Amino acid sequence: MKVLVPVKRVLDYNVKARVKADQSGVDLSNVKMSMNPFDEISVEEAVRLKEAGTATEAVVVSIGPAKAQETIRTALAVGMDRGIHVQTDEDLEPLAIAKILKAIAEEEGAQLVITGKQAIDNDYGATGSMLAALLDWPQGTFANTVETSGDSITVKREVDGGLQTVKLTLPAVVTTDLRLNEPRYARLPDIMKAKKKQIDAKTPADYGVDTAPRLTTVKVTEPAGRSAGIKVESVEALVGKLKTEGVI
Ligand code: AMP
């Protein structure tokens, strides 16, 4: 079984996002960028499938600027076999990304695509579902546990207050949730070895898909600051405030 893992280079999750003065988006100049955390989980899962002998090849793909190659190298260093870099400086929407991924999944003959449940920069949470729909493949979302057996895959999904188990016939798309696994760190020798692994250089035009934007970002704003609190004299006063105002 060949596994395809799309990974996105995003603002590092430890960095506080700064909105640009003109409110057109988040300022990405001179900030640390890393692999989207949910994609690290997808990579780890694919590498485990390889180690278990279930996956024959694990291919990582990233669509983005030249520096997205670094993100691919990170995935190669933890055990992915090969990379595909689709270079673009445009910030493509999930539909365009999903169309490119569909073309790659078909070209590669992938049996399983593992995406993150969302990219933490734009929070669309849309690409995996769009990809499953375009491919007409079943999808296991919010994956907490994944088990393959023959031509099927069983996914335990994180739902409100519990887990739901679904069985999908391969080929399928799985989108990863936070508790699926704990991603490993790359070891130095593996980082060195990863430099020799193959990365194919492509462009969106190679896949002949229409990447024209369908939506316009009108405005991006910072979360509203918290208003100052007040001191109450007693527990009774606190309970009274909670009853009448809901908040203090
Ligand atoms: P989103 O729908 O943008 O929240 O992204 C969900 C998932 O789609 C991510 O966790 C990635 O697995 C994949 N994805 C989104 N954008 C890209 C990209 N530019 N390159 C590769 N994979 C991507």
Side-chain angles (χ1 to χ4, degrees):
M1 173 172 80
K2 194 189 269 196
V3 184
L4 187 68
V5 178
V7 300
K8 187 174 187 192
R9 182 172 178 271
V10 297
L11 184 71
D12 187 272
Y13 72 100
N14 285 310
V15 174
K16 188 178 176 317
R18 282 188 323 259
V19 173
K20 288 185 197 165
D22 65 0
Q23 297 192 320
S24 61
V26 170
D27 189 358
L28 295 180
S29 49
N30 299 319
V31 290
K32 186 174 177 219
M33 305 286 283
S34 304
M35 188 186 302
N36 180 42
F38 292 106
D39 302 347
E40 289 182 351
I41 296 170
S42 309
V43 166
E44 175 65 33
E45 202 60 26
V47 172
R48 288 187 191 187
L49 287 173
K50 261 214 76 185
E51 288 168 344
T54 311
T56 46
E57 195 182 24
V59 180
V60 52
V61 50
S62 191
I63 302 158
K67 289 219 161 172
Q69 280 223 13
E70 289 171 16
T71 314
I72 295 177
R73 289 274 171 224
T74 307
L76 296 176
V78 290
M80 299 294 286
D81 295 305
R82 187 161 60 78
I84 301 171
H85 176 214
V86 184
Q87 188 163 344
T88 174
D89 289 326
E90 277 174 63
D91 188 13
L92 297 182
E93 291 171 9
L95 182 60
I97 300 283
K99 285 179 188 169
I100 295 171
L101 293 177
K102 172 183 189 270
I104 296 175
E106 286 173 345
E107 190 176 277
E108 290 284 337
Q111 286 287 98
L112 178 64
V113 182
I114 311 179
T115 80
K117 74 168 178 182
Q118 79 193 60
I120 63 160
D121 54 356
N122 55 33
D123 280 346
Y124 281 127
T127 308
S129 303
M130 286 182 172
L131 175 63
L134 291 174
L135 285 164
D136 200 14
W137 289 4
Q139 183 189 16
T141 51
F142 307 109
N144 169 286
T145 314
V146 167
E147 264 170 42
T148 54
S149 157
D151 67 351
S152 68
I153 182 163
T154 304
V155 180
K156 284 204 178 106
R157 304 180 56 241
E158 296 209 4
V159 292
D160 268 354
L163 294 171
Q164 181 199 39
T165 306
V166 291
K167 193 172 173 186
L168 321 171
T169 306
L170 294 171
V173 175
V174 167
T175 58
T176 54
D177 214 324
L178 212 54
R179 282 164 287 271
L180 178 59
N181 59 47
E182 200 158 312
R184 69 192 73 182
Y185 290 103
R187 297 178 315 143
L188 189 60
D190 294 331
I191 295 173
M192 302 313 285
K193 268 194 241 158
K195 294 195 171 151
K196 295 205 185 88
K197 290 188 180 174
Q198 178 190 338
I199 299 181
D200 292 336
K202 300 279 189 184
T203 65
D206 291 333
Y207 299 102
V209 299
D210 166 18
T211 58
R214 263 66 172 174
L215 59 87
T216 316
T217 301
V218 179
K219 192 161 85 171
V220 176
T221 51
E222 304 258 357
R226 277 186 66 175
S227 52
I230 53 159
K231 270 192 182 166
V232 287
E233 295 300 327
S234 62
V235 173
E236 288 74 28
L238 171 67
V239 173
K241 284 265 179 205
L242 285 172
K243 276 189 185 155
T244 54
E245 296 171 26
V247 288
I248 293 180

